[in-house]
Amino acid sequence: MPPSPSRVTQADVARHAGVSRTTVSFVLSGREDMRISIEARRRILGAAEELGYRPNLTAQSLRTRKTHTLGLVSDTVAGTPHAGGMIQGALEAALERDHLLYFAESGGDPAAERKLLQGMLDRQVDGLVHAAMSTGRRRPSEQMRSRPCVLLNCLDDSGEFTCVVPDEEEAGRQAVRLLLEAGHREGVHVVGGRHLTDGTPEGVYAGRERMRGAEAAMAQAGLRLGGVSECDWSAPEHGYAAVRGLLDSPRRPTAFVCCNDRLAFGVYQAACDSGLAVPRDLSVVSFDDSELASWLRPSLTSIALPHRELGRRAVSLLLSPEGPQPAVHRIPMPVRRRGSIAAPHR
């Protein structure tokens, strides 16, 4: 294997341009307060481009105490196709600001998380992003207090950190507004409710926030929800079981707000088994905008989780001129309008 070409130095650029190394250093570092002629600057910049000069970032970081690197540590974000958009957004925002992003995943193991965070700190990253797969509250470690830090898709009880989370409450309002705009009033029913019974405290957050928004939107219209079926969110069969009996009742709902697309899939199946059609007999709106939403027939109106924008905003705040400030930034969840909502039909 041929040897790698040696790195081009400022001394090489100086010899090529016919100037001193000090002059090259001033020009390539952007110094404007030195008396260097326009012609010399032109020769130096031309020589640097011709030789393929790249600055020595290690030496530069010793002078500036900045490495232009960031660390992102998550629990299980990378293993999921949709939430991985948070990482993609963070990478994009870092690249746009000429920063390199180190990424590592703990698998939800606290000991592994501490080790990974220390590894980032040992590499002298300029800042940290701590990301979570499911939105919920975290108790940040002392390690995260040693560098500028942003919590991504999680909240901090202490109020010391910048937090970036989806605006779940407003999404709940949006879901109900879609049904109200279509003319639904008395028969709006929620499937899923406040509790995601997957054994994790994080699961409660989305349900609580979405329910709060849905109830607020109904109250603003002078109405109340027709009912709430609390159930596990993890599979379509729970949505099916929650509504099958309702669909055969004399006062069946005219519309369902499903707390995720899996539950909505179960509602579609229950409607079919009851001889009902979506949206002719029953309107459905959901959350998450998974692949199920576009594959269902008719396709499902769903409110998406803004994963990429969450990642972008976290890095943008981390690298803002004033640095991350203690606050909660709630990112809007976009509505994907499809064919599952129509005016109520009796």
Side-chain angles (χ1 to χ4, degrees), residues 35-108:
R35 300 180 69 177
I36 301 171
S37 69
I38 294 175
E39 173 59 23
R41 289 179 184 275
R42 184 190 64 76
R43 291 205 313 275
I44 291 166
L45 294 174
E49 182 176 1
E50 184 179 340
L51 294 174
Y53 171 79
R54 298 284 298 165
N56 186 326
L57 295 180
T58 301
Q60 196 176 79
S61 68
L62 291 173
R63 293 193 305 272
T64 63
R65 302 197 177 201
K66 295 286 186 182
T67 62
H68 284 80
T69 60
L70 303 173
L72 189 156
V73 175
S74 79
D75 48 16
T76 57
V77 170
T80 57
H82 298 289
M86 287 193 286
I87 297 170
Q88 185 62 42
L91 287 166
E92 290 171 355
L95 182 62
E96 289 167 7
R97 293 159 177 80
D98 296 320
H99 278 66
L100 182 68
L101 182 74
Y102 295 128
F103 167 70
E105 187 160 276
S106 69

Side-chain angles (χ1 to χ4, degrees), residues 13-307:
V13 175
R15 282 192 295 272
H16 199 76
V19 298
S20 72
R21 186 188 175 288
T22 303
T23 303
V24 169
S25 177
F26 287 145
V27 170
L28 294 182
S29 65
R31 291 280 295 273
E32 299 287 346
D33 57 338
M34 308 305 295
R35 300 180 69 177
I36 301 171
S37 69
I38 294 175
E39 173 59 23
R41 289 179 184 275
R42 184 190 64 76
R43 291 205 313 275
I44 291 166
L45 294 174
E49 182 176 1
E50 184 179 340
L51 294 174
Y53 171 79
R54 298 284 298 165
N56 186 326
L57 295 180
T58 301
Q60 196 176 79
S61 68
L62 291 173
R63 293 193 305 272
T64 63
R65 302 197 177 201
K66 295 286 186 182
T67 62
H68 284 80
T69 60
L70 303 173
L72 189 156
V73 175
S74 79
D75 48 16
T76 57
V77 170
T80 57
H82 298 289
M86 287 193 286
I87 297 170
Q88 185 62 42
L91 287 166
E92 290 171 355
L95 182 62
E96 289 167 7
R97 293 159 177 80
D98 296 320
H99 278 66
L100 182 68
L101 182 74
Y102 295 128
F103 167 70
E105 187 160 276
S106 69
D109 181 349
E113 180 182 286
R114 288 191 295 272
K115 184 176 180 180
L116 292 170
L117 285 169
Q118 190 58 52
M120 299 293 185
L121 297 174
D122 290 345
R123 285 162 177 78
Q124 299 296 310
V125 294
D126 295 332
L128 289 166
V129 176
H130 185 257
M133 170 60 194
S134 299
T135 312
R137 296 193 173 275
R138 298 289 188 278
R139 181 177 296 173
S141 70
E142 289 301 318
Q143 292 166 299
M144 289 187 275
R145 291 179 168 84
S146 63
R147 291 283 192 285
C149 183
V150 172
L151 302 185
L152 172 56
N153 202 37
C154 48
L155 294 162
D156 157 41
D157 282 326
S158 72
E160 299 176 49
F161 289 86
T162 300
C163 304
V164 180
V165 296
D167 195 345
E168 300 276 14
E169 183 175 340
E170 179 58 26
R173 289 191 182 93
Q174 287 179 306
V176 165
R177 288 187 196 121
L178 291 170
L179 299 174
L180 293 175
E181 289 167 5
H184 296 273
R185 290 292 183 270
E186 305 301 325
V188 177
H189 194 99
V190 174
V191 182
R194 289 177 172 82
H195 301 291
L196 193 164
T197 54
D198 61 356
T200 65
E202 294 87 352
V204 176
Y205 177 83
R208 184 178 65 244
E209 294 293 294
R210 291 172 186 179
M211 279 297 300
R212 181 182 293 137
E215 289 169 339
M218 291 296 286
Q220 189 174 12
L223 302 168
R224 296 180 63 182
L225 290 169
V228 179
S229 294
E230 298 277 354
C231 67
D232 190 324
W233 296 16
S234 63
E237 57 259 33
H238 302 301
Y240 182 97
V243 306
R244 186 65 179 84
L246 291 172
L247 296 181
D248 292 334
S249 67
R251 294 179 57 80
R252 64 173 173 80
T254 66
F256 286 108
V257 177
C258 298
C259 284
N260 68 17
D261 295 339
R262 292 187 294 274
L263 295 179
F265 182 20
V267 170
Y268 269 54
Q269 294 300 111
C272 180
D273 287 355
S274 296
L276 302 172
V278 176
R280 185 195 66 201
D281 304 303
L282 189 68
S283 290
V284 183
V285 60
S286 182
F287 298 89
D288 294 353
D289 192 37
S290 66
E291 290 181 357
L292 274 176
S294 57
W295 275 103
L296 286 170
R297 292 294 179 268
S299 54
L300 173 65
T301 294
S302 189
I303 300 176
L305 285 162
H307 290 124

